[in-house]
Amino acid sequence: MKKEFQTEVGRLLDLVINSLYSKKEVFLRELLSNASDAMDRARFEALTDKSAQSETPYRVFIVPNREKGTLAISDNGVGMTAEEAEKNLGSVASSGTKRFLQAMKDKAGAPELIGQFGVGFYAAFMVADRVDVLTRRRGEKPVLWTSDGKGEYEIVDGDPEAADGTTVTLHLRDDAKEYLDGWRLEDLVRTYSDYLAYPVMLCPDPSEKPEPKKDKDGKELPPEPREPRQVNSMKAVWKKSKDEATKEETDSFYKHLAHDSEEPLATIRVSAEGATEFQALVFVPRVAPYDLFWPNAKQGLQLYVRNVFIGDDVKELLPRYLSFVRGVVESADLPLNVSREMLQDNAVVRRIRKVLVGKILSELEDMQKNRPADFAAFGRQYGRLMKEGVHSDWENSDRLRDLCTFPSTFSESEDKPVTLKEYVSRMPSDQKEIYWLAADSYEAAKNSPVLEAFASRGREVLFFVDPVDEFFAERVTEYDGKKLRAVDRGELDLDSDGGDKDGKDGKDDGKKDDGDAEEKRFKPLIDALAARFGKSVRQVRLSKRLVDSACCFVADEYGVSAHMQRVLKAFNQPVPESPRILELNPKAPVIEKALALAGDDSRKDDFGDLADLLYGQAQLAEGTPLDNPARFNKLVSALAAR
Ligand code: ADP
């Protein structure tokens, strides 16, 4: 019976067939990997059902036939029923195709992407103008699925003699006849599929009669036996040592596993002996998986027990903040019939996880030290997760802390963030605290008036511009014996930071007296503003933070910063009432003017206008929306018209 492909499959096939790619060869990897998956599943079924055990060993055969122009890939895996063939090969259950189509558009076609979206089978149509799939599920009738990739496929009864498993026969296009060549095929298997856990057997071309060989007397020798031969080494790449496995091999394994077209940012190999024995080969993708922060994102590693594939996405092997790591773990210390539930609370799994996390962090530390450009790329992709780790992984939080980076007033750009360690290493000796400012963006932070005094004194301030950064600050209150301090919170006395706080230092005393005198002089203004703003400000006081700006808002020592309030709001959390403190710059001419107006009863209205302007300015500077934008606009216009 003829059926139409699901529309999206049709579109995909058009793209696959009508674009000419240099890398058509990936079709073989895709088909072999499907065969391997099918055998994994058959093997897995046999674990619980002995009768499902295949009588012949699990193997995949590649059979080129020059006469017929076909290439067949044959496995004795699970096979498919007619319904399964229809569903798996005629439609796309996942949204993979859609994303694939989009990616093809964006990247103007890149065949390496094909594997990435679970549309691997259709790669067959890059080299074939007709594909037959003869497949049989154990105990079911054989099925023949066939299509020329042009909108329709057909499903009919297959050869009743067909064995369990699947044979995909490609009727090669004229320009793809190179894939009939034994050497070419062998080379492709070695390059892309060497690690497959099953023997890949290359069969001699049955249509090719080898030239009969003659002995030295010119007598024809009987033809040499032409047996299928295994062309993959099969040694799982994660079991190979660093010297045994080439970089190309590990990279290609990664690309297959992570459906990525790029090389990984880091490759981490673990071979643990002792209490718990296991091997692992894990990778940090160069670009974060697109669904990294989605709630149902795939996460976790593949798990093998004694060569048997146990499961994908085994979450228990890594903490959440390392969910971007891809790879394989194999251990002989777990039972073969280990279930998902058992993994959740298993001492072996816990030990593996601990060792793995340690190794991954070591690799990241090494990258930070020796490959700064890669580490910067890492930070852009995963920096947030490291900060989450600081919060959630107490055991490693000190190590994670050092992997976190923040832009600062000393950074050339947002892309050149610094670590706490770097910050501390260049702190002047009289600076005793680590300063930070939270803001919605790097730009907003950089332009904040509360930084003025720090800038004028050459003190570095870290910018916490990611919503998770404030949570980081909650967890990390001290570093290297130095307190972390928000620059827009509490009283600030930069000059006495690290100075003699007991006031025995004569200089400090002098400054204090100046300060007291100033407080007294500005008291009428402070009182008048406090009276005008009432409950909406906690306090009005003179500032030590400001150099050029007239005023700013700050939180009190234990108050919630404006940024945190916005973060809480964004996460739909209750936002504690926390009126701000208005700080005035006694050196700003406009504050001087306000002082004069405050003392002049006859200019009460002018004072009110100026007070409201100052209030609005302070709000704008900290990124808080204005209470009354209309009035603020009017006041500014009036001022400009004067
Ligand atoms: P993916 O392998 O990424 O799921 P494919 O397009 O390559 O996507 O294959 C679609 C589905 O067809 C597979 O998930 C599998 O269920 C089925 N399939 C493909 N090849 C085989 C095979 N050799 N044996 C059994 N099932 C197969």
Side-chain angles (χ1 to χ4, degrees), residues 467-484:
V468 300
D469 290 345
E470 285 219 29
F471 298 105
F472 174 93
E474 264 178 24
R475 174 84 181 85
V476 182
T477 52
E478 242 185 66
Y479 183 87
D480 196 18
K482 291 154 186 85
K483 280 210 164 56
L484 265 74

Side-chain angles (χ1 to χ4, degrees), residues 24-25 27 66 69-71 124-129 170-181 184-185 188:
K24 284 184 197 152
E25 61 192 38
F27 83 94
R66 206 168 279 280
T70 58
L71 180 68
F125 290 100
M126 294 199 289
V127 295
D129 46 24
L170 311 176
H171 299 264
L172 294 174
R173 293 165 184 277
D174 284 342
D175 62 355
K177 295 286 197 255
E178 64 190 283
Y179 303 112
L180 291 168
D181 179 59
R184 181 89 169 97
L185 291 167
L188 288 180

Side-chain angles (χ1 to χ4, degrees), residues 281-296:
L281 179 59
V282 301
F283 305 91
V284 176
R286 200 161 275 277
V287 176
Y290 68 92
D291 57 359
L292 186 59
F293 292 102
W294 294 8
N296 301 323

